[in-house]
Amino acid sequence: MCLLCEDENSYAKYLEYLDALERAGKEPDPDKAMDMLMDELQKSDAEKFKNKSPFICDAIDE
C-alpha cells in the first residue's frame, strides 16, 4: 500500500500542495509533490524525536 493510501494526513498535504500550485497558475508535477511530501514527513518525524532518548526500556518477559 502506498504512503498516500494509508495516511489521510499525508494525502491531504499532497492535495493541498497540488492545489496551491494550480491556484498560482503553475502546472503541478506529481513527482515533485511526492518529494515535497516526503521531505515534510521526515521533518515532522525528526521534530517528534528531538530531545528524546534513543534508548527504550521495556520490561523483559521471563
Side-chain angles (χ1 to χ4, degrees):
M1 184 177 278
C2 75
L3 172 69
L4 296 178
C5 295
E6 70 181 35
D7 185 14
E8 289 182 31
N9 191 24
S10 298
Y11 184 69
K13 286 183 180 185
Y14 178 77
L15 290 180
E16 286 175 18
Y17 178 77
L18 293 178
D19 288 343
L21 285 178
E22 287 180 354
R23 282 192 297 270
K26 298 178 181 177
E27 185 68 30
D29 181 359
D31 291 330
K32 287 183 182 179
M34 188 56 104
D35 291 341
M36 179 278 316
L37 177 63
M38 295 303 291
D39 290 342
E40 289 293 320
L41 291 174
Q42 288 175 350
K43 287 178 189 175
S44 68
D45 284 347
E47 287 297 319
K48 285 183 205 174
F49 297 112
K50 189 176 182 180
N51 295 328
K52 289 189 177 181
S53 174
F55 303 103
I56 299 172
C57 298
D58 290 330
I60 298 174
D61 295 331
E62 290 185 25

